[in-house]
PDB file of all heavy atoms in Angstrom:
ATOM      1  N   ALA A   1      89.797 104.745 100.219  1.00 96.00           N
ATOM      2  CA  ALA A   1      89.877 105.252 101.573  1.00 96.00           C
ATOM      3  C   ALA A   1      91.220 105.052 102.121  1.00 96.00           C
ATOM      4  O   ALA A   1      91.948 104.057 101.777  1.00 96.00           O
ATOM      5  CB  ALA A   1      88.825 104.608 102.475  1.00 96.00           C
ATOM      6  N   THR A   2      91.713 105.952 102.970  1.00 96.00           N
ATOM      7  CA  THR A   2      93.089 105.900 103.517  1.00 96.00           C
ATOM      8  C   THR A   2      93.280 104.572 104.189  1.00 96.00           C
ATOM      9  O   THR A   2      94.379 103.940 103.979  1.00 96.00           O
ATOM     10  CB  THR A   2      93.291 107.050 104.496  1.00 96.00           C
ATOM     11  OG1 THR A   2      93.282 108.273 103.749  1.00 96.00           O
ATOM     12  CG2 THR A   2      94.641 106.907 105.175  1.00 96.00           C
ATOM     13  N   GLN A   3      92.386 104.072 104.992  1.00 97.00           N
ATOM     14  CA  GLN A   3      92.575 102.801 105.672  1.00 97.00           C
ATOM     15  C   GLN A   3      92.439 101.621 104.782  1.00 97.00           C
ATOM     16  O   GLN A   3      92.880 100.517 105.189  1.00 97.00           O
ATOM     17  CB  GLN A   3      91.489 102.744 106.834  1.00 97.00           C
ATOM     18  CG  GLN A   3      91.820 101.734 107.891  1.00 97.00           C
ATOM     19  CD  GLN A   3      91.048 101.976 109.196  1.00 97.00           C
ATOM     20  OE1 GLN A   3      90.630 103.092 109.460  1.00 97.00           O
ATOM     21  NE2 GLN A   3      90.850 100.934 109.972  1.00 97.00           N
ATOM     22  N   GLY A   4      91.866 101.814 103.577  1.00 98.00           N
ATOM     23  CA  GLY A   4      91.705 100.720 102.649  1.00 98.00           C
ATOM     24  C   GLY A   4      90.282 100.672 102.136  1.00 98.00           C
ATOM     25  O   GLY A   4      89.350 101.273 102.674  1.00 98.00           O
ATOM     26  N   VAL A   5      90.090  99.888 101.030  1.00 98.00           N
ATOM     27  CA  VAL A   5      88.777  99.708 100.456  1.00 98.00           C
ATOM     28  C   VAL A   5      87.793  99.114 101.474  1.00 98.00           C
ATOM     29  O   VAL A   5      88.125  98.050 102.061  1.00 98.00           O
ATOM     30  CB  VAL A   5      88.851  98.812  99.192  1.00 98.00           C
ATOM     31  CG1 VAL A   5      87.460  98.490  98.662  1.00 98.00           C
ATOM     32  CG2 VAL A   5      89.725  99.458  98.122  1.00 98.00           C
ATOM     33  N   LEU A   6      86.680  99.780 101.719  1.00 98.00           N
ATOM     34  CA  LEU A   6      85.755  99.318 102.764  1.00 98.00           C
ATOM     35  C   LEU A   6      85.273  97.903 102.528  1.00 98.00           C
ATOM     36  O   LEU A   6      85.294  97.098 103.500  1.00 98.00           O
ATOM     37  CB  LEU A   6      84.541 100.291 102.848  1.00 98.00           C
ATOM     38  CG  LEU A   6      83.476  99.908 103.838  1.00 98.00           C
ATOM     39  CD1 LEU A   6      84.106  99.806 105.274  1.00 98.00           C
ATOM     40  CD2 LEU A   6      82.313 100.839 103.769  1.00 98.00           C
ATOM     41  N   GLU A   7      84.872  97.532 101.330  1.00 98.00           N
ATOM     42  CA  GLU A   7      84.401  96.200 101.109  1.00 98.00           C
ATOM     43  C   GLU A   7      85.493  95.112 101.373  1.00 98.00           C
ATOM     44  O   GLU A   7      85.214  94.047 101.930  1.00 98.00           O
ATOM     45  CB  GLU A   7      83.982  96.031  99.625  1.00 98.00           C
ATOM     46  CG  GLU A   7      82.898  97.016  99.164  1.00 98.00           C
ATOM     47  CD  GLU A   7      83.565  98.186  98.452  1.00 98.00           C
ATOM     48  OE1 GLU A   7      84.254  98.998  99.086  1.00 98.00           O
ATOM     49  OE2 GLU A   7      83.306  98.320  97.224  1.00 98.00           O
ATOM     50  N   SER A   8      86.756  95.491 101.120  1.00 98.00           N
ATOM     51  CA  SER A   8      87.826  94.557 101.355  1.00 98.00           C
ATOM     52  C   SER A   8      88.112  94.448 102.864  1.00 98.00           C
ATOM     53  O   SER A   8      88.383  93.341 103.395  1.00 98.00           O
ATOM     54  CB  SER A   8      89.093  94.964 100.621  1.00 98.00           C
ATOM     55  OG  SER A   8      88.827  95.007  99.204  1.00 98.00           O
ATOM     56  N   ARG A   9      88.042  95.576 103.574  1.00 98.00           N
ATOM     57  CA  ARG A   9      88.250  95.539 105.015  1.00 98.00           C
ATOM     58  C   ARG A   9      87.131  94.721 105.683  1.00 98.00           C
ATOM     59  O   ARG A   9      87.347  93.981 106.625  1.00 98.00           O
ATOM     60  CB  ARG A   9      88.281  96.969 105.574  1.00 98.00           C
ATOM     61  CG  ARG A   9      89.599  97.674 105.221  1.00 98.00           C
ATOM     62  CD  ARG A   9      89.788  99.000 105.964  1.00 98.00           C
ATOM     63  NE  ARG A   9      88.921 100.054 105.420  1.00 98.00           N
ATOM     64  CZ  ARG A   9      88.049 100.718 106.086  1.00 98.00           C
ATOM     65  NH1 ARG A   9      87.809 100.403 107.376  1.00 98.00           N
ATOM     66  NH2 ARG A   9      87.306 101.629 105.530  1.00 98.00           N
ATOM     67  N   GLU A  10      85.906  94.945 105.200  1.00 98.00           N
ATOM     68  CA  GLU A  10      84.799  94.183 105.744  1.00 98.00           C
ATOM     69  C   GLU A  10      84.933  92.683 105.482  1.00 98.00           C
ATOM     70  O   GLU A  10      84.701  91.848 106.380  1.00 98.00           O
ATOM     71  CB  GLU A  10      83.465  94.669 105.176  1.00 98.00           C
ATOM     72  CG  GLU A  10      83.050  96.031 105.625  1.00 98.00           C
ATOM     73  CD  GLU A  10      81.846  96.560 104.957  1.00 98.00           C
ATOM     74  OE1 GLU A  10      81.514  96.068 103.817  1.00 98.00           O
ATOM     75  OE2 GLU A  10      81.154  97.451 105.533  1.00 98.00           O
ATOM     76  N   PHE A  11      85.442  92.347 104.342  1.00 98.00           N
ATOM     77  CA  PHE A  11      85.666  90.923 103.959  1.00 98.00           C
ATOM     78  C   PHE A  11      86.731  90.311 104.877  1.00 98.00           C
ATOM     79  O   PHE A  11      86.554  89.218 105.403  1.00 98.00           O
ATOM     80  CB  PHE A  11      86.057  90.805 102.523  1.00 98.00           C
ATOM     81  CG  PHE A  11      86.366  89.370 102.092  1.00 98.00           C
ATOM     82  CD1 PHE A  11      85.362  88.508 101.737  1.00 98.00           C
ATOM     83  CD2 PHE A  11      87.639  88.927 102.060  1.00 98.00           C
ATOM     84  CE1 PHE A  11      85.587  87.239 101.347  1.00 98.00           C
ATOM     85  CE2 PHE A  11      87.954  87.606 101.667  1.00 98.00           C
ATOM     86  CZ  PHE A  11      86.901  86.758 101.307  1.00 98.00           C
ATOM     87  N   VAL A  12      87.871  91.037 105.000  1.00 98.00           N
ATOM     88  CA  VAL A  12      88.946  90.554 105.886  1.00 98.00           C
ATOM     89  C   VAL A  12      88.458  90.420 107.326  1.00 98.00           C
ATOM     90  O   VAL A  12      88.792  89.416 108.030  1.00 98.00           O
ATOM     91  CB  VAL A  12      90.172  91.462 105.804  1.00 98.00           C
ATOM     92  CG1 VAL A  12      91.184  91.120 106.856  1.00 98.00           C
ATOM     93  CG2 VAL A  12      90.832  91.413 104.423  1.00 98.00           C
ATOM     94  N   ALA A  13      87.696  91.352 107.797  1.00 98.00           N
ATOM     95  CA  ALA A  13      87.112  91.278 109.151  1.00 98.00           C
ATOM     96  C   ALA A  13      86.282  90.031 109.348  1.00 98.00           C
ATOM     97  O   ALA A  13      86.378  89.367 110.378  1.00 98.00           O
ATOM     98  CB  ALA A  13      86.355  92.560 109.445  1.00 98.00           C
ATOM     99  N   ARG A  14      85.469  89.694 108.344  1.00 98.00           N
ATOM    100  CA  ARG A  14      84.669  88.483 108.432  1.00 98.00           C
ATOM    101  C   ARG A  14      85.566  87.245 108.482  1.00 98.00           C
ATOM    102  O   ARG A  14      85.278  86.307 109.224  1.00 98.00           O
ATOM    103  CB  ARG A  14      83.700  88.366 107.265  1.00 98.00           C
ATOM    104  CG  ARG A  14      82.577  89.395 107.285  1.00 98.00           C
ATOM    105  CD  ARG A  14      81.454  89.003 106.332  1.00 98.00           C
ATOM    106  NE  ARG A  14      81.891  89.107 104.914  1.00 98.00           N
ATOM    107  CZ  ARG A  14      81.853  90.202 104.179  1.00 98.00           C
ATOM    108  NH1 ARG A  14      81.411  91.317 104.698  1.00 98.00           N
ATOM    109  NH2 ARG A  14      82.234  90.163 102.904  1.00 98.00           N
ATOM    110  N   MET A  15      86.648  87.233 107.718  1.00 97.00           N
ATOM    111  CA  MET A  15      87.535  86.092 107.777  1.00 97.00           C
ATOM    112  C   MET A  15      88.178  85.943 109.157  1.00 97.00           C
ATOM    113  O   MET A  15      88.314  84.843 109.644  1.00 97.00           O
ATOM    114  CB  MET A  15      88.684  86.272 106.701  1.00 97.00           C
ATOM    115  CG  MET A  15      88.253  86.105 105.282  1.00 97.00           C
ATOM    116  SD  MET A  15      89.682  85.802 104.164  1.00 97.00           S
ATOM    117  CE  MET A  15      90.691  87.202 104.490  1.00 97.00           C
ATOM    118  N   VAL A  16      88.562  87.077 109.765  1.00 98.00           N
ATOM    119  CA  VAL A  16      89.095  86.984 111.107  1.00 98.00           C
ATOM    120  C   VAL A  16      88.058  86.438 112.092  1.00 98.00           C
ATOM    121  O   VAL A  16      88.357  85.516 112.896  1.00 98.00           O
ATOM    122  CB  VAL A  16      89.539  88.426 111.598  1.00 98.00           C
ATOM    123  CG1 VAL A  16      90.016  88.389 113.069  1.00 98.00           C
ATOM    124  CG2 VAL A  16      90.702  88.914 110.711  1.00 98.00           C
ATOM    125  N   ASN A  17      86.840  86.914 111.990  1.00 98.00           N
ATOM    126  CA  ASN A  17      85.816  86.539 112.950  1.00 98.00           C
ATOM    127  C   ASN A  17      85.397  85.049 112.755  1.00 98.00           C
ATOM    128  O   ASN A  17      85.002  84.461 113.729  1.00 98.00           O
ATOM    129  CB  ASN A  17      84.575  87.395 112.754  1.00 98.00           C
ATOM    130  CG  ASN A  17      84.913  88.885 113.174  1.00 98.00           C
ATOM    131  OD1 ASN A  17      85.867  89.136 113.883  1.00 98.00           O
ATOM    132  ND2 ASN A  17      84.126  89.820 112.686  1.00 98.00           N
ATOM    133  N   GLN A  18      85.538  84.529 111.521  1.00 96.00           N
ATOM    134  CA  GLN A  18      85.243  83.107 111.307  1.00 96.00           C
ATOM    135  C   GLN A  18      86.250  82.218 112.045  1.00 96.00           C
ATOM    136  O   GLN A  18      85.937  80.982 112.232  1.00 96.00           O
ATOM    137  CB  GLN A  18      85.206  82.843 109.838  1.00 96.00           C
ATOM    138  CG  GLN A  18      83.989  83.388 109.154  1.00 96.00           C
ATOM    139  CD  GLN A  18      84.120  83.357 107.623  1.00 96.00           C
ATOM    140  OE1 GLN A  18      85.089  82.809 107.058  1.00 96.00           O
ATOM    141  NE2 GLN A  18      83.097  83.886 106.930  1.00 96.00           N
ATOM    142  N   ARG A  19      87.418  82.696 112.382  1.00 95.00           N
ATOM    143  CA  ARG A  19      88.365  81.869 113.102  1.00 95.00           C
ATOM    144  C   ARG A  19      87.861  81.580 114.546  1.00 95.00           C
ATOM    145  O   ARG A  19      88.336  80.631 115.252  1.00 95.00           O
ATOM    146  CB  ARG A  19      89.708  82.561 113.234  1.00 95.00           C
ATOM    147  CG  ARG A  19      90.401  82.907 111.913  1.00 95.00           C
ATOM    148  CD  ARG A  19      91.632  83.724 112.133  1.00 95.00           C
ATOM    149  NE  ARG A  19      92.062  84.445 110.942  1.00 95.00           N
ATOM    150  CZ  ARG A  19      92.688  85.548 110.910  1.00 95.00           C
ATOM    151  NH1 ARG A  19      93.064  86.154 112.057  1.00 95.00           N
ATOM    152  NH2 ARG A  19      93.033  86.151 109.772  1.00 95.00           N
ATOM    153  N   GLY A  20      86.965  82.397 115.036  1.00 90.00           N
ATOM    154  CA  GLY A  20      86.476  82.285 116.404  1.00 90.00           C
ATOM    155  C   GLY A  20      87.297  83.134 117.335  1.00 90.00           C
ATOM    156  O   GLY A  20      88.252  83.798 116.979  1.00 90.00           O
ATOM    157  N   SER A  21      86.929  83.203 118.563  1.00 92.00           N
ATOM    158  CA  SER A  21      87.563  83.963 119.626  1.00 92.00           C
ATOM    159  C   SER A  21      87.475  85.470 119.314  1.00 92.00           C
ATOM    160  O   SER A  21      86.380  86.000 119.205  1.00 92.00           O
ATOM    161  CB  SER A  21      89.036  83.485 119.773  1.00 92.00           C
ATOM    162  OG  SER A  21      89.568  84.095 120.995  1.00 92.00           O
ATOM    163  N   TYR A  22      88.600  86.177 119.149  1.00 96.00           N
ATOM    164  CA  TYR A  22      88.578  87.598 119.025  1.00 96.00           C
ATOM    165  C   TYR A  22      87.774  88.055 117.813  1.00 96.00           C
ATOM    166  O   TYR A  22      87.953  87.514 116.722  1.00 96.00           O
ATOM    167  CB  TYR A  22      89.973  88.156 118.957  1.00 96.00           C
ATOM    168  CG  TYR A  22      90.010  89.664 119.176  1.00 96.00           C
ATOM    169  CD1 TYR A  22      90.061  90.233 120.445  1.00 96.00           C
ATOM    170  CD2 TYR A  22      89.968  90.521 118.105  1.00 96.00           C
ATOM    171  CE1 TYR A  22      90.059  91.588 120.624  1.00 96.00           C
ATOM    172  CE2 TYR A  22      89.996  91.872 118.246  1.00 96.00           C
ATOM    173  CZ  TYR A  22      90.026  92.429 119.529  1.00 96.00           C
ATOM    174  OH  TYR A  22      90.022  93.774 119.700  1.00 96.00           O
ATOM    175  N   GLN A  23      86.935  89.047 117.973  1.00 97.00           N
ATOM    176  CA  GLN A  23      86.112  89.571 116.892  1.00 97.00           C
ATOM    177  C   GLN A  23      86.563  91.027 116.553  1.00 97.00           C
ATOM    178  O   GLN A  23      86.821  91.830 117.435  1.00 97.00           O
ATOM    179  CB  GLN A  23      84.663  89.590 117.280  1.00 97.00           C
ATOM    180  CG  GLN A  23      84.110  88.174 117.613  1.00 97.00           C
ATOM    181  CD  GLN A  23      84.023  87.285 116.464  1.00 97.00           C
ATOM    182  OE1 GLN A  23      83.164  87.444 115.603  1.00 97.00           O
ATOM    183  NE2 GLN A  23      84.918  86.300 116.389  1.00 97.00           N
ATOM    184  N   VAL A  24      86.638  91.279 115.252  1.00 98.00           N
ATOM    185  CA  VAL A  24      87.033  92.638 114.811  1.00 98.00           C
ATOM    186  C   VAL A  24      85.967  93.193 113.957  1.00 98.00           C
ATOM    187  O   VAL A  24      85.005  92.568 113.534  1.00 98.00           O
ATOM    188  CB  VAL A  24      88.368  92.495 113.997  1.00 98.00           C
ATOM    189  CG1 VAL A  24      89.483  91.883 114.826  1.00 98.00           C
ATOM    190  CG2 VAL A  24      88.187  91.730 112.724  1.00 98.00           C
ATOM    191  N   THR A  25      86.138  94.489 113.622  1.00 98.00           N
ATOM    192  CA  THR A  25      85.320  95.201 112.610  1.00 98.00           C
ATOM    193  C   THR A  25      86.214  95.680 111.525  1.00 98.00           C
ATOM    194  O   THR A  25      87.479  95.638 111.631  1.00 98.00           O
ATOM    195  CB  THR A  25      84.541  96.364 113.273  1.00 98.00           C
ATOM    196  OG1 THR A  25      85.495  97.397 113.529  1.00 98.00           O
ATOM    197  CG2 THR A  25      83.860  95.947 114.539  1.00 98.00           C
TER     198      THR A  25
END
């Protein structure tokens, strides 16, 4: 996908969200 591999984007988003505070998709 142009934006990146979906599974990898979902994984990175989970890493961001585990930091707390701001949540991404």
Side-chain angles (χ1 to χ4, degrees):
T2 293
Q3 197 162 335
V5 173
L6 178 59
E7 304 96 293
S8 300
R9 288 190 285 120
E10 289 175 338
F11 179 83
V12 170
R14 289 195 295 272
M15 288 199 304
V16 175
N17 295 340
Q18 287 168 5
R19 300 174 200 153
S21 192
Y22 192 86
Q23 301 291 287
V24 302
T25 72

